[in-house]
Amino acid sequence: MVGSALAGYLVKRRGGNSTATGLRAALIGGFPAVWPLSELIWAIPTVPNPLWFQAVGVAMILGVGGFILAVVAVFGALAGRFGGWLAERRGHGGVAGAGGGV
């Protein structure tokens, strides 16, 4: 979340979209949170259970992974927006080079 806020702050200083940048930073940073779920998906067929139980297990793991990514995305977008707000508050809300002459 700190990385998303920092990314939102830095991109807002150049006039970019801080919310989208925070979202992207969070998804990249949150990818390791869903990495262990791949091990669970590969472990399901090794447990002796009926096929329908294994299918439900895979669906539940995929659902949890999607939920984790959704939570990470929402908090990342909010943190990016906060970083953009902080940049605007410090006077960095405009487009780069808008006030300078050539």
Side-chain angles (χ1 to χ4, degrees), residues 9-45:
Y9 178 82
L10 291 175
V11 80
K12 193 62 160 184
R13 290 178 60 191
R14 300 292 182 193
N17 187 347
S18 61
T19 304
T21 303
L23 171 72
R24 291 180 190 121
L27 288 177
I28 291 169
F31 182 70
V34 295
W35 188 263
L37 296 179
S38 67
E39 295 294 325
L40 285 175
I41 289 177
W42 289 109
I44 286 177

Side-chain angles (χ1 to χ4, degrees), residues 3-98:
S4 294
L6 180 63
Y9 178 82
L10 291 175
V11 80
K12 193 62 160 184
R13 290 178 60 191
R14 300 292 182 193
N17 187 347
S18 61
T19 304
T21 303
L23 171 72
R24 291 180 190 121
L27 288 177
I28 291 169
F31 182 70
V34 295
W35 188 263
L37 296 179
S38 67
E39 295 294 325
L40 285 175
I41 289 177
W42 289 109
I44 286 177
T46 63
V47 179
N49 284 321
L51 184 59
W52 69 270
F53 196 79
Q54 292 177 0
V56 169
V58 168
M60 288 176 64
I61 289 172
L62 292 176
V64 167
F67 178 73
I68 289 172
L69 283 179
V71 168
V72 165
V74 167
F75 280 114
L78 291 175
R81 182 168 283 204
F82 171 73
W85 171 80
L86 194 60
E88 286 178 352
R89 186 155 170 93
R90 294 184 49 100
H92 297 292
V95 177

